[in-house]
């Protein structure tokens, strides 16, 4: 079975926006992959005029928050970097036991890459021109800039949400059957670890496991 | 035989999908619908209904109006067209020609379709008979894909522009100069060219069923900024202490109009624009009408927009068919066989869904208080407004004995002309009445409460926690996994039951379901 891959549009976010943006995106993805009995929960973002939907499973909420905190910690150590968070859905299949491998293996059938470019807010400068004696108020321009950036991010975040909806609608054949009593498909969320190389190796390993991934932009 | 079974299940899925999506759309767009749903949910948080189990999406109580709609649109080949209509008081500032019914225009309202959902079961005329091997289990795939489609619709509804004004209207802290109503029919008035310019269409990828494709599309206005949507100004309540008849007032005292503290403008003008013709001052000689009005100040209700259904105990009118276009009819007691089957299955809930002993909060029904009816019949010109701590009765359900609600004008002729099988939200009618009442300075309406809009999680954490707790305590297969979890206790025999559906293989009487939702023969 092929693994469908979705690369989401890159978002330029500031540090304090990371949590909200990631919660919104990850929960939206999982909601569309929670095909068991759910009671949807509407959540309003505080920074944006966007409402997303959660499954309403507390355990899932905690796990996603935990991963987001790991990511935030990583970002603090690696500022101003582009990064990816990957959420992968898999099936557990049993295989003949051997000396070197486990009895079960994970077959990934779908992967989502959330691309973030975490930027630091530039420090305001005095704005005093050498040619004139007029002092430009730095606060106002920085505030306007931040405001326009926030608006642009909201628009982009909406586009990402629509992108998710479009993808889940276009690609349905690869979704495995729903098991009784299971609310959402097993998945793993991978964030950059303290070692960049380890993260990269994880990605390559997963790609090899999935065979021939289909890239969808 | 196998084909018949497949066909029956496929049709059942399509039929239930139409009902479910109707529920999703109306619950996310019509404030009165949504508020009644929330009220009903307060009584049954732990109970998962049979209707909730369809497509594994718990939406809660399905109002009677919805059942009427489902019955009137039971022909699967007819499209279900749901118009979400913005009703605005006064002329719209939009440059686009709006759909303005004659009666609405006469009443000073404009109607604009801001969203149109179309759910269609597209069956080709010539259907190639698939072989048994091809169709076996096809309904399971159809069901699984329908679940995903419904999830997408649910999520997308929250991203479209209309959702924001729905949330505004659902807010209990403000009243507005607009309302959202719905119209469900199997025919629609095409959009004008001007309207098409400002609208965008999105079509979800159809889901294959045995006999056709299940298609969902939405046409929506990309921006609502053209409309002058604003909250109505609310005047602060005034409390008159030295009114005529007050024990502290000298009975021989005169009350000149210029005297401070005795201002005749103290009638509750919450949400009211002062009428241009009627003077703002009221006569001082409040008679017994005032006294009668005073005790009701705390329990005042509105001639507002009730939900589109009756929450009174179901009274079955055997004689009248559920073909009313206005959604005021009561449910037909003659349940279809399909409905009877599903009703039977409702009691076969699995053990995890045991009710929790949570007490039901008291529900305040505006019409349930007989004093309110009495108040409404009085001609009390003034009542002392008091801040109410309960929910604004705007969205509370009416008492069925309140005859004033049944004496509303019928819908506009255009609606009945163009919509062969249609149902419109009574809340639209209520909106007109409410706003008219406000203009005329009649009985108080639109009392604002002091609820503020919180941008927080809508559903309670306890609710979701309890819900998930119920499931996890059942001992059913583990819920989910993540890499960080060390508890990888996943069941290996996950392929035992791959079809997750409210009905099992033997539960549904396929022959009866075929009779109820039979497709017309292809000619």
């Amino acid at each position: 079975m092929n693994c469908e891959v979705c690369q989401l549009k890159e978002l330029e976010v500031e540090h304090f926006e990371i949590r909200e943006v990631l919660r919104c995106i990850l929960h939206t993805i999982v909601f569309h992959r929670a095909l068991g009995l759910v009671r949807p929960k509407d959540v309003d973002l505080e920074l944006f005029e966007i409402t997303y939907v959660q499954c309403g499973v507390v355990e899932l909420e905690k796990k996603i928050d935990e991963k987001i905190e790991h990511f935030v910690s990583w970002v603090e150590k690696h500022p101003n970097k582009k990064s990816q968070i990957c959420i992968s859905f898999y099936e557990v299949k049993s295989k003949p036991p051997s000396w070197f491998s486990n009895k079960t293996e994970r077959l990934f059938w779908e992967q989502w890459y959330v691309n973030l470019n975490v930027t630091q807010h530039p420090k305001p400068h005095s704005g005093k021109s050498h040619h004139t004696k007029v002092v430009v108020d730095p606060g106002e321009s920085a505030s306007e800039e931040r405001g326009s950036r926030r608006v642009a991010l909201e628009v982009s975040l909406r586009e990402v949400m629509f992108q998710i909806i479009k993808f889940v609608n276009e690609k349905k054949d690869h979704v495995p059957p729903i098991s009784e009593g299971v609310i959402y498909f097993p998945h793993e969320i991978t964030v950059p670890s303290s070692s960049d190389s380890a993260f990269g190796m994880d990605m390559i390993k997963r790609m090899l496991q999935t065979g021939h991934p289909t890239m969808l932009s | 035989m196998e084909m018949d079974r497949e066909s029956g299940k496929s049709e059942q899925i399509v039929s239930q999908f139409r009902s479910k999506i109707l529920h999703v759309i109306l619950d996310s767009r019509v404030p009165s619908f949504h508020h009644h749903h929330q009220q009903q949910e307060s009584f049954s948080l732990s109970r998962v209904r049979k209707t909730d189990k369809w497509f594994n999406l718990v939406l809660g109580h399905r109002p009677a109006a919805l059942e009427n709609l489902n019955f009137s649109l039971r022909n699967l080949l007819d499209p279900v067209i749901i118009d979400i209509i913005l009703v605005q008081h006064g002329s719209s500032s939009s440059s686009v020609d709006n759909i303005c019914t004659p009666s609405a225009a006469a009443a000073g309202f404009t109607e604009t379709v801001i969203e149109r959902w179309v759910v269609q079961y597209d069956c080709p005329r010539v259907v190639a008979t698939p072989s048994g091997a091809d169709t076996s289990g096809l309904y399971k795939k159809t069901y699984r894909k329908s679940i995903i489609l419904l999830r997408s619709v649910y999520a997308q509804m929250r991203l479209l522009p209309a959702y924001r004004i729905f949330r505004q209207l659902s807010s209990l802290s403000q009243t507005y100069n607009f309302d959202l109503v719905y119209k469900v029919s199997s025919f629609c008035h095409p959009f004008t060219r001007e309207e098409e310019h400002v609208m965008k269409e999105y079509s979800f990828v159809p889901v294959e069923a045995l006999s056709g494709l299940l298609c969902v599309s939405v046409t929506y206005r990309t921006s609502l900024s053209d409309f002058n949507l604003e909250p109505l100004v609310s005047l602060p309540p005034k409390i008159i202490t030295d009114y005529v008849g007050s024990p502290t007032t000298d009975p021989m005292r005169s009350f000149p109009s210029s005297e401070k503290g005795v201002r005749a403008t103290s009638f509750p003008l919450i949400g009211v624009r002062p009428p241009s013709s009627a003077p703002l001052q009221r006569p001082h000689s409040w008679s017994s009408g005032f006294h009668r009005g005073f005790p009701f100040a705390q329990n005042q209700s509105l001639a507002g927009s009730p939900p589109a259904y009756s929450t009174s105990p179901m009274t079955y009118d055997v004689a009248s068919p559920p073909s009313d276009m206005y959604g005021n009819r009561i449910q037909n007691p003659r349940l279809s066989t399909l409905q009877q089957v599903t009703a039977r299955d409702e009691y076969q809930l699995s053990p995890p869904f045991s009710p929790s002993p949570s007490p039901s909060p008291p529900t305040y029904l505006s019409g349930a208080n007989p004093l309110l009816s009495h108040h409404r019949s009085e001609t009390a010109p003034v009542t002392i407004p008091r801040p109410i701590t309960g929910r604004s009765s705007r969205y509370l359900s009416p008492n069925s004995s309140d005859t004033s609600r049944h004496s509303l004008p019928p819908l506009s002729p255009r609606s009945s002309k163009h919509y062969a099988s249609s149902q419109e939200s009574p809340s639209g009618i209520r909106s007109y009445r409410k706003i008219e009442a406000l203009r005329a300075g009649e009985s108080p309406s639109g009392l604002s409460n002091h609820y503020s809009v919180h941008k927080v999680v809508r559903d309670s954490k306890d609710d979701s926690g309890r819900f998930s707790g119920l499931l996890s305590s059942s001992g059913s297969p583990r819920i989910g996994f993540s890499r960080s979890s060390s508890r990888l206790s996943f069941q290996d025999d996950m392929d035992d039951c791959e079809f997750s559906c409210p009905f099992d293989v033997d539960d549904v009487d396929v022959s009866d379901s075929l009779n109820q939702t039979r497709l017309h023969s292809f000619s």
Side-chain angles (χ1 to χ4, degrees):
Chain A
M1 179 173 57
N2 279 348
C3 175
E4 299 288 351
V5 178
C6 181
Q7 289 278 356
L8 294 174
K9 180 187 165 183
E10 184 180 277
L11 298 173
E12 194 172 298
V13 300
E14 292 190 51
H15 189 276
F16 69 96
E17 293 164 338
I18 293 174
R19 287 180 181 83
E20 282 236 309
V21 166
L22 281 182
R23 270 195 209 110
C24 178
I25 295 173
L26 293 176
H27 276 288
T28 300
I29 293 170
V30 176
F31 176 67
H32 285 91
R33 292 295 176 248
L35 305 189
L37 189 64
V38 298
R39 183 190 294 263
K41 186 165 101 169
D42 295 339
V43 179
D44 300 326
L45 292 182
E46 291 179 11
L47 301 175
F48 310 102
E49 290 274 350
I50 291 176
T51 300
Y52 69 95
V53 189
Q54 291 187 8
C55 302
V57 179
V58 174
E59 199 178 282
L60 174 67
E61 207 177 323
K62 283 180 186 167
K63 285 176 183 167
I64 288 179
D65 283 345
E66 196 181 299
K67 282 295 176 181
I68 291 173
E69 289 308 314
H70 290 167
F71 177 74
V72 168
S73 305
W74 181 87
V75 165
E76 283 167 355
K77 294 173 189 166
H78 305 83
N80 285 326
K81 266 194 169 182
K82 292 191 180 186
S83 51
Q84 267 186 344
I85 297 99
C86 177
I87 175 165
S88 311
F89 294 91
Y90 60 86
E91 277 184 290
V92 177
K93 291 289 185 187
S94 57
K95 62 178 185 179
S98 68
W99 287 104
F100 306 105
S101 60
N102 296 330
K103 283 185 276 189
T104 59
E105 61 176 347
R106 292 181 177 183
L107 290 182
F108 292 92
W109 51 271
E110 191 174 86
Q111 287 177 330
W112 299 77
Y113 290 93
V114 184
N115 297 295
L116 295 183
N117 183 13
V118 184
T119 56
Q120 264 187 340
H121 181 61
K123 288 180 185 175
H125 53 279
S126 65
K128 194 172 181 179
S129 170
H130 292 292
H131 300 284
T132 63
K133 291 188 179 174
V134 175
V135 177
V136 177
D137 180 11
E140 199 174 320
S141 59
S143 172
E144 282 174 4
E145 199 182 322
R146 173 169 274 187
S148 60
R149 207 168 35 231
R150 179 77 59 83
V151 169
L153 176 57
E154 183 174 316
V155 170
S156 297
L157 184 56
R158 276 183 191 277
E159 285 174 15
V160 167
M161 307 274 282
F162 279 115
Q163 194 182 355
I164 294 170
I165 290 171
K166 186 168 178 282
F167 179 84
V168 298
N169 268 271
E170 288 176 354
K171 307 281 180 179
K172 291 196 191 88
D173 291 323
H174 67 293
V175 178
I178 310 163
S179 294
E180 184 79 25
V182 176
I183 296 180
Y184 48 84
F185 289 110
H187 61 274
E188 59 181 39
I189 302 173
T190 312
V191 298
S193 60
S194 52
S195 164
D196 279 344
S197 60
F199 177 73
M201 282 306 295
D202 282 340
M203 290 291 108
I204 292 171
K205 198 169 152 188
R206 195 164 298 107
M207 284 171 70
L208 289 173
Q209 277 179 338
T210 56
H212 303 282
T214 306
M215 300 295 291
L216 180 75
S217 60
Chain B
M1 184 68 183
E2 182 66 27
M3 271 296 293
D4 284 342
R5 188 166 151 272
E6 280 281 342
S7 174
K9 285 196 182 290
S10 182
E11 287 178 21
Q12 194 177 13
I13 291 170
V14 171
S15 174
Q16 289 292 337
F17 182 86
R18 284 154 59 104
S19 303
K20 198 84 175 189
I21 200 170
L22 203 53
H23 195 170
V24 167
I25 292 170
L26 295 183
D27 195 48
S28 309
R29 287 292 183 268
V30 182
S32 54
F33 197 98
H34 177 71
H35 275 272
H36 175 78
H37 166 210
Q38 281 188 325
Q39 271 188 333
Q40 288 294 319
E41 282 312 288
S42 65
F43 293 109
S44 55
L45 284 173
S46 58
R47 181 172 169 238
V48 178
R49 299 170 184 82
K50 185 68 175 180
T51 53
D52 287 333
K53 292 174 83 177
W54 274 100
F55 307 99
N56 290 334
L57 195 65
V58 179
L59 298 176
H61 173 71
R62 192 182 277 189
L66 199 55
E67 300 296 343
N68 291 339
L69 283 170
N70 293 332
F71 186 83
S72 59
L73 296 168
R74 59 191 178 281
N75 185 352
L76 294 186
L77 292 182
D78 288 339
V80 178
I81 300 168
I82 306 136
D83 279 348
I84 305 297
I85 304 167
L86 177 69
V87 177
Q88 202 172 7
H89 171 62
S91 58
S92 169
S93 60
S94 172
S95 57
V96 177
D97 293 331
N98 300 316
I99 301 172
C100 195
T101 60
S103 58
F109 300 98
T110 53
E111 296 176 337
T112 310
V113 178
I114 59 172
E115 246 179 45
R116 174 171 288 166
W117 292 83
V118 179
V119 184
Q120 194 161 3
Y121 187 35
D122 195 11
C123 293
R125 283 180 173 269
V126 176
V127 179
T129 308
S131 64
D134 294 337
T135 61
S136 173
L138 179 63
Y139 72 92
K140 296 181 185 178
K141 285 185 188 170
T142 301
Y143 187 64
R144 185 164 68 239
K145 292 181 181 180
S146 302
I147 293 175
I148 298 173
L149 174 56
L150 207 54
R151 298 273 194 277
S152 302
V153 169
Y154 192 96
Q156 177 130 344
M157 292 220 69
R158 278 128 187 86
L159 297 175
L160 299 180
Y163 184 71
R164 192 180 296 184
I165 63 172
F166 159 75
R167 289 291 299 273
Q168 282 181 293
L169 285 170
S170 299
S171 157
L172 300 175
S173 62
Q174 274 285 5
T175 52
Y176 293 88
N177 66 344
F178 62 93
D179 200 358
L180 281 178
V181 302
Y182 69 91
K183 184 183 292 180
V184 180
S185 63
S186 51
F187 298 91
C188 66
H189 201 67
F191 290 119
T192 61
R193 193 166 289 179
E194 291 80 11
E195 285 172 321
E196 284 175 356
H197 278 313
V198 295
M199 299 186 96
K200 197 174 172 180
E201 185 176 349
Y202 180 81
S203 297
F204 294 83
V205 173
V207 170
E208 308 92 26
L210 184 66
S211 304
L213 297 174
L214 189 54
C215 308
V216 177
S217 66
V218 59
T219 308
Y220 61 96
R221 282 205 170 225
T222 52
S223 170
L224 299 176
S225 56
D226 286 346
F227 298 95
N228 187 20
L229 306 176
E230 57 187 23
L232 294 176
V233 177
S234 56
L235 299 176
K238 283 179 177 290
I239 298 178
I240 311 298
T241 53
D242 53 348
Y243 53 86
V244 173
S246 165
T248 58
T249 306
D250 181 7
M252 300 309 295
R253 178 189 168 187
S254 63
F255 290 82
S257 58
S258 60
E259 188 174 332
K260 216 176 181 179
V262 185
R263 296 182 58 183
T265 59
S266 58
F267 59 106
L269 287 176
I270 306 296
V272 176
R273 282 186 182 152
S276 54
S277 54
L280 201 57
Q281 281 84 7
R282 299 294 299 243
H284 309 148
S285 57
W286 299 314
S287 61
S288 55
F290 171 78
H291 290 284
R292 257 178 276 177
F294 179 76
F296 305 134
Q298 194 168 8
N299 300 327
Q300 285 172 355
S301 68
L302 321 167
S305 305
Y309 41 78
S310 169
T311 56
S312 59
M314 289 284 195
T315 56
Y316 295 104
D317 183 1
V318 180
S320 62
S323 59
D324 179 60
M325 287 199 295
Y326 307 133
N328 287 330
R329 285 298 174 88
I330 45 187
Q331 191 177 18
N332 192 317
R334 294 193 209 121
L335 294 173
S336 65
T337 307
L338 180 62
Q339 286 170 314
Q340 285 170 350
V341 168
T342 54
R344 234 189 353 258
D345 291 339
E346 188 168 4
Y347 297 98
Q348 296 174 6
L349 292 175
S350 51
F353 301 110
S354 53
S356 63
S358 54
S360 306
T363 301
Y364 172 71
L365 296 174
S366 63
N369 190 343
L371 295 178
L372 290 170
S373 305
H374 179 67
H375 165 65
R376 207 170 276 117
S377 64
E378 294 294 332
T379 55
V382 174
T383 54
I384 293 180
R386 280 193 179 177
I388 57 174
T389 55
R391 177 180 286 188
S392 168
S393 52
R394 177 182 177 185
Y395 300 112
L396 294 177
S397 50
N399 188 4
S400 58
S401 63
D402 185 3
T403 55
S404 64
R405 300 201 186 282
H406 301 290
S407 61
L408 296 168
L411 290 174
S412 61
R414 184 190 66 83
S415 306
S416 55
K417 181 183 171 185
H418 290 279
Y419 298 88
S421 166
S422 74
Q423 185 171 118
E424 302 196 10
S425 62
S427 60
I429 306 167
R430 270 51 166 187
S431 305
Y432 302 155
R433 182 179 171 83
K434 174 188 74 174
I435 299 179
E436 270 197 336
L438 293 175
R439 286 183 65 195
E442 287 175 9
S443 58
S445 59
L447 284 175
S448 63
N449 57 15
H450 296 285
Y451 280 19
S452 56
V453 178
H454 296 288
K455 279 204 154 196
V456 295
V457 170
R458 299 285 305 281
D459 200 355
S460 68
K461 207 172 178 180
D462 286 341
D463 179 26
S464 58
R466 183 165 62 243
F467 181 73
S468 60
L470 279 172
L471 288 173
S472 59
S473 64
S474 67
S476 55
R478 299 284 78 83
I479 303 174
F481 305 80
S482 72
R483 199 180 188 196
S484 59
S485 170
S486 58
R487 186 172 55 89
L488 286 175
S489 52
F490 190 80
Q491 225 176 2
D492 290 331
D493 55 346
M494 55 185 284
D495 52 353
D496 278 353
C497 177
E498 64 171 354
F499 182 51
S500 175
C501 180
F503 55 88
D504 288 330
V505 183
D506 300 317
D507 279 359
V508 175
D509 187 350
V510 176
S511 58
D512 281 339
S513 69
L514 278 176
N515 288 334
Q516 292 299 324
T517 59
R518 181 177 291 281
L519 299 174
H520 294 303
S521 58
F522 304 115
S523 55

